[in-house]
């Protein structure tokens, strides 16, 4: 993938098409604002050494968006208020994902420090919904788009009409909503809100990354993944199942992947969100350790 410029907005592709643990970054020339520094360590080092990076903005608190933040330790950081605590403390980070059990927390602590260069960071300030910022010659609207995380942010750069979607990334995998504070209804509402913004270019953090025409059906396909996961779960629960058995069905990831511990966690986290919705709607009941669909 290649770097692209849209006015003063520079798209910096992540390694491996921005697939996890990488993401695409965005840099606003002139204003020196770097968004989500987890794309390509060598490229970001050059940016640090050759450009005047004045601020880091994070769309949200996930590790695949801050992996190379350690290159910018003295640069002021901006994030939303709900997502800030997870960045300020490793234990809060683990809590944010709902990671339980000493062994599992140890696994993640090591991974976060070693691979993702986690260092506790306190923001210089918070970015809030409805705020407007003037970044050089670009006016940007701050958009709070919760669901993926409680404080996930998108940015609409007005003059070149570029909409930064963050992790509402329109990938075939579909949305992630497995954090402790993630929400399926909020994810749906956020995607619908983003779809209505009159942009001409759309930038997302993973895979395709740049959409120069309205993504059109990709919006609906992205949301349809949620329905498909729910439908498959309901089919599975025609027979009562425990959570371990639900995970073994690999509804989210399609098949077991390595490292298993990592993917089994994601599978369970997302399935739990679906169960929450289905239990609240009375479409599924819990009996002891098992979940059962009500026909
Ligand atoms: Zn994310």
């Amino acid at each position: 993938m290649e770097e692209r410029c849209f006015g003063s907005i520079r798209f910096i592709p992540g390694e491996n098409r921005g697939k996890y643990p990488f993401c695409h970054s965005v840099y606003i020339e002139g204003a020196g604002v770097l968004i989500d520094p987890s794309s390509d360590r060598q490229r970001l080092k050059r940016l640090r050494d050759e450009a005047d990076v004045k601020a880091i903005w994070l769309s949200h608190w996930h590790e695949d968006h801050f992996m190379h933040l350690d290159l910018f330790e003295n640069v002021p950081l901006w994030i939303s208020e709900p997502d800030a605590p997870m960045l300020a403390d490793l234990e809060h980070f683990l809590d944010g994902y709902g990671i339980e059990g000493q062994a599992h927390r140890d696994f993640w602590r090591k991974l976060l420090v070693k691979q993702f260069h986690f260092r506790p960071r306190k923001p210089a300030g918070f970015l809030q919904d409805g705020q407007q910022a003037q970044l050089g010659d670009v006016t940007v609207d701050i958009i709070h788009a919760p669901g993926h995380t409680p404080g996930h942010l998108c940015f609409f750069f007005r003059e070149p009409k570029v909409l930064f979607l963050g992790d509402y990334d329109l990938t075939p995998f579909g949305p992630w909503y497995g954090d402790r504070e993630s929400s399926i209804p909020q994810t749906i509402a956020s995607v619908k809100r983003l779809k209505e913004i009159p942009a001409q270019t759309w930038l997302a953090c993973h895979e395709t990354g740049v959409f120069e025409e309205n993504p059109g059906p990709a919006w609906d396909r992205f949301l349809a993944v949620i329905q498909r996961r729910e439908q498959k779960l309901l089919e599975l629960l025609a027979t009562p199942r425990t959570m371990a058995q639900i995970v073994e069905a690999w509804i989210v990831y399609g098949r077991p992947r390595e490292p298993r511990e990592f993917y089994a966690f994601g599978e369970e986290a997302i399935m739990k969100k679906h169960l929450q919705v289905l239990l609240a709607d009375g479409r599924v009941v819990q009996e002891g350790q098992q979940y059962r669909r009500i026909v």
Side-chain angles (χ1 to χ4, degrees):
M1 291 180 85
E2 289 185 352
E3 285 199 20
R4 299 285 309 276
C5 281
F6 306 92
S8 49
I9 295 157
R10 179 180 288 272
F11 172 84
I12 302 176
E15 292 184 53
N16 194 24
R17 292 188 74 236
K19 287 190 178 171
Y20 187 92
F22 305 104
C23 79
H24 306 309
S25 301
V26 167
Y27 182 63
I28 319 305
E29 310 270 0
V33 172
L34 174 62
I35 302 175
D36 289 1
S38 190
S39 47
D40 180 318
R41 194 167 183 85
Q42 292 313 315
R43 176 65 187 99
L44 294 177
K45 265 188 185 165
R46 262 196 295 130
L47 189 76
R48 179 193 63 181
D49 296 339
E50 294 169 8
D52 183 15
V53 180
K54 296 191 185 81
I56 306 288
W57 286 12
L58 288 184
S59 61
H60 63 297
W61 64 274
H62 285 162
E63 69 281 5
D64 55 325
H65 294 253
F66 67 65
M67 180 158 52
H68 307 309
L69 181 59
D70 62 306
L71 297 173
F72 302 93
E73 275 193 320
N74 298 316
V75 179
L77 170 85
W78 296 76
I79 189 170
S80 71
E81 192 167 8
D83 279 21
M86 285 68 96
L87 211 64
D89 183 305
L90 187 48
E91 300 310 307
H92 288 160
F93 183 101
L94 302 175
D95 294 341
Y97 269 127
I99 295 170
E100 290 170 356
Q102 262 335 302
H104 201 190
R105 287 177 79 90
D106 281 346
F107 168 87
W108 268 96
R109 266 189 214 106
K110 286 193 190 108
L111 191 74
L112 280 159
V113 172
K114 197 160 177 255
Q115 183 178 353
F116 294 97
H117 316 113
F118 183 94
R119 315 259 193 284
R121 288 285 297 257
K122 290 231 162 68
F126 301 124
L127 298 170
Q128 290 175 356
D129 190 63
Q131 263 180 351
Q132 255 181 36
Q134 195 63 39
L135 302 181
D137 56 356
V138 182
T139 311
V140 54
D141 292 318
I142 313 292
I143 301 163
H144 179 216
H148 180 76
T149 66
H152 185 286
L153 297 171
C154 295
F155 307 115
F156 183 50
F157 302 97
R158 286 193 182 185
E159 286 77 17
K161 289 193 163 61
V162 172
L163 179 60
F164 171 86
L165 296 170
D167 267 1
Y168 299 101
D169 53 19
L170 307 178
T171 57
F173 172 79
W176 164 273
Y177 35 79
D179 298 2
R180 194 183 54 185
E181 303 291 339
S182 296
S183 147
I184 292 177
Q186 284 183 347
T187 297
I188 295 169
S190 287
V191 172
K192 287 184 173 166
R193 182 179 174 199
L194 293 168
K195 189 181 168 184
E196 297 307 317
I197 292 172
Q200 284 176 353
T201 307
W202 294 257
L203 303 180
C205 279
H206 299 285
E207 302 190 29
T208 303
V210 178
F211 299 85
E212 290 185 83
E213 288 178 10
N214 194 310
W219 294 105
D220 299 327
R221 279 201 298 270
F222 189 67
L223 287 180
V225 173
I226 302 174
Q227 287 303 113
R228 197 161 67 236
R229 288 171 183 162
E230 181 183 282
Q231 196 50 41
K232 283 188 174 171
L233 179 58
L234 281 170
E235 285 164 19
L236 186 74
L237 298 184
T239 307
R241 312 270 182 178
T242 62
M243 181 53 84
Q245 290 169 327
I246 293 170
V247 169
E248 285 301 318
W250 296 102
I251 287 170
V252 176
Y253 289 102
R255 59 183 167 81
R257 295 184 187 211
E258 293 297 330
R260 197 184 181 290
E261 193 177 24
F262 177 91
Y263 288 101
F265 171 77
E267 190 74 36
E268 178 168 339
I270 288 195
M271 285 293 108
K272 270 186 187 165
K273 294 290 171 180
H274 281 285
L275 284 170
Q276 257 176 28
V277 170
L278 294 170
L279 287 164
D281 288 355
R283 286 186 282 167
V284 164
V285 285
Q286 185 173 3
E287 293 162 340
Q289 299 291 312
Q290 293 185 316
Y291 299 91
R292 180 171 62 83
R293 172 188 183 170
I294 297 170
V295 182

